[in-house]
């Protein structure tokens, strides 16, 4: 057997099992460990492998960092009345912005890794088992003792609209810059990083610095108006910021009513270092930055069964679009709106019927006359 065929055979073994040890490679190929190490070094020099973890360029995952919770949804069976007891139905599911995005991406057939924190309770164990069954790599998860896993409790009215949500997510303060340093190999393997604002401010600062240094695209996804305090002032290194109108108003400290208001707010974020900004506005659609300023897309008609997870589905579709190699924000937002509509019509936090074909078949709006519209300056609350 020639040297070339040995090297090729070793490469195919790694493709079949990226976690195979050098000792096992040596045994299968009838080589010494030093010879295997030499072949691997050659493959790394050739950029056919990316580092000692045997990461293949075409298998680099989207790395999601942030919350993974047990979600409880209490839905009123009649019109909500404050200050008294209301008959309701309770559902439990897995949630958390980063985890929801990771599940959406996994169902869209993208390679995904999730870096989060869980407690030493049954919820945490079940949550990780569910993620792993979907093909999500959870090996970099931080396991904490003596604490409960994160929880998110939403109160919905009889139409499925969220009236109130309560979140117990203090354990994510443990995802510090020092912890990130211990997960550097897993993070370095990513083709795209997505993080939610449940992470501490210093941790987000570290992610921004790493993205600027390593040129790995970073997407930050806001989670609530109070958590906007976690977003650093300097956003250099940020490929994309996704947030809703209320979160943007919190960031700038002023209401947004006209196209000039939105343009100034988005330009301000870009001046702080963000390359692009997407602002979701529920049934009103989305606003996003372009080279010429900002554009607006209307939200398509939707049957609302449950609003939980719709924003995370939107963010996942945008990230999927970036992962596919497209920098077209119009196409990304159209894909995001499509996934949001599917999620709104589902009782599940993540729509179980997702496939990559759902997004891949969405044409560019230039092919659909009238689909892309300029921002409506007459918008009012």
């Amino acid at each position: 057997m020639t040297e070339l065929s040995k090297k090729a055979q070793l490469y195919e073994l790694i493709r079949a099992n990226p976690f195979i040890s050098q000792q096992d490679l040596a045994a299968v190929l009838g080589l010494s460990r030093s010879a295997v190490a030499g072949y691997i070094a050659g493959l790394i020099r050739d950029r056919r492998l990316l580092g000692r973890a045997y990461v293949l360029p075409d298998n680099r995952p989207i790395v999601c960092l942030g919350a993974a919770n047990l979600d409880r949804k209490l839905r009123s069976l009649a019109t909500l009345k404050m200050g008294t007891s209301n008959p309701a139905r309770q559902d439990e599911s897995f949630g958390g912005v980063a985890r929801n995005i990771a599940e959406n991406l996994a169902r869209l057939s993208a390679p995904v890794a999730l870096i989060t924190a869980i407690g030493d309770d049954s919820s945490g164990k079940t949550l990780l088992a569910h993620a792993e069954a979907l093909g999500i790599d959870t090996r970099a998860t931080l396991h904490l003792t003596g604490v409960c896993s994160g929880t998110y409790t939403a109160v919905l009215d009889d139409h499925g609209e969220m009236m109130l949500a309560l979140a117990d997510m203090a354990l994510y303060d443990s995802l510090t810059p020092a912890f990130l340093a211990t997960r550097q190999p897993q993070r370095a393997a990513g083709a795209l990083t997505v993080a939610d604002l449940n992470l501490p401010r210093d941790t987000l600062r570290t992610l921004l610095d790493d993205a600027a240094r390593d040129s790995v695209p970073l997407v930050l996804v806001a989670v609530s108006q109070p958590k906007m305090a976690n977003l650093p002032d300097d956003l250099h290194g940020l490929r994309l910021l996704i947030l809703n109108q209320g979160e943007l108003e919190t960031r700038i400290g002023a209401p947004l009513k006209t196209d000039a208001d939105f343009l100034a707010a988005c330009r301000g974020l870009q001046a702080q270092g963000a390359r692009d900004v997407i602002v979701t506005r529920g049934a009103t659609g989305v606003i996003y930055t372009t080279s010429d300023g900002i554009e607006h897309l209307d939200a398509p008609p939707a049957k609302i069964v449950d609003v939980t997870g719709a924003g995370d589905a939107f963010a996942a579709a945008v990230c999927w679009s970036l992962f596919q190699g497209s920098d077209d924000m119009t196409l990304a937002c159209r894909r995001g709106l499509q996934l949001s509509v599917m999620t709104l019509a589902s009782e599940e936090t993540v729509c179980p019927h997702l496939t990559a074909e759902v997004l891949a078949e969405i044409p560019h709006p230039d092919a659909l006359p009238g689909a892309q519209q300029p921002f409506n300056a007459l918008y009012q609350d």
Side-chain angles (χ1 to χ4, degrees), residues 103-377:
E103 180 177 344
N104 275 282
L105 289 168
R107 292 186 181 278
L108 292 170
S109 301
V112 189
L114 175 64
I115 301 179
T116 187
I118 63 164
D120 55 351
D121 53 9
S122 59
S123 296
K125 295 181 178 66
T126 307
L127 189 152
L128 289 187
H130 178 263
E132 290 162 2
L134 291 167
I136 299 170
D137 183 352
T138 66
R139 290 171 299 167
T141 292
L142 174 63
H143 295 257
L144 299 170
T145 58
V147 299
C148 294
S149 297
T151 61
Y152 171 87
T153 302
V155 178
L156 311 177
D157 67 14
D158 52 325
H159 300 293
E161 293 287 350
M162 184 177 71
M163 297 291 100
L164 176 71
L166 299 171
D168 179 6
M169 303 190 187
L171 79 167
Y172 302 121
D173 291 341
S174 300
L175 300 176
T176 62
F179 165 75
L180 283 189
T182 69
R183 301 301 193 265
Q184 183 57 32
Q186 294 92 333
R187 293 171 52 222
L192 174 70
T193 301
V194 186
D196 70 40
L197 297 195
N198 286 301
L199 297 174
R201 186 182 178 95
D202 289 347
T203 301
L204 293 168
R205 176 71 268 154
T206 297
L207 291 175
L208 287 163
D209 292 342
D210 289 351
R213 182 192 66 232
D214 301 332
S215 299
V216 175
L218 172 65
V219 178
L220 294 183
V221 182
V223 300
S224 68
Q225 293 183 41
K227 289 295 180 74
M228 289 301 294
N230 291 352
L231 185 65
D233 296 330
D234 184 348
L235 300 178
H236 284 90
L238 183 57
R239 172 63 185 87
L240 175 64
L241 175 63
I242 303 175
L243 72 176
N244 65 30
Q245 180 174 335
E247 291 155 351
L248 180 55
E249 289 174 338
T250 297
R251 173 71 174 195
I252 68 171
L256 301 168
K257 295 183 179 296
T258 68
D259 59 341
D261 294 338
F262 279 95
L263 177 59
C266 290
R267 287 297 195 219
L269 289 171
Q270 290 179 311
Q272 294 162 14
R275 177 173 166 184
D276 278 306
V277 181
I278 296 176
V279 186
T280 60
R281 302 169 66 213
T284 310
V286 298
I287 293 166
Y288 56 97
T289 52
T290 69
S291 58
D292 298 324
I294 55 175
E295 295 287 348
H296 171 259
L297 281 175
D298 286 333
K303 175 185 177 183
I304 299 178
V305 174
D306 187 340
V307 299
T308 308
D312 302 336
F314 176 91
V318 170
C319 292
W320 184 88
S321 197
L322 291 174
F323 180 70
Q324 298 301 314
S326 172
D327 282 331
D328 188 331
M329 286 295 105
T330 300
L331 181 58
C333 287
R334 283 183 54 79
R335 287 168 168 169
L337 290 170
Q338 174 66 25
L339 210 57
S340 292
V341 167
M342 294 180 64
T343 305
L344 287 168
S346 172
E347 291 188 350
E348 305 294 331
T349 300
V350 177
C351 179
H353 309 301
L354 302 183
T355 64
E357 288 72 20
V358 169
L359 299 186
E361 293 174 357
I362 294 177
H364 190 280
D366 288 348
L368 299 173
Q372 184 178 359
Q373 303 175 15
F375 177 72
N376 182 4

Side-chain angles (χ1 to χ4, degrees), residues 14-38:
I14 291 173
R15 283 187 62 89
N17 179 12
F19 306 107
I20 191 170
S21 69
Q22 289 191 11
Q23 185 61 53
D24 288 341
L25 287 168
V28 172
L29 296 173
L31 298 170
S32 66
R33 281 197 62 178
S34 60
V36 168

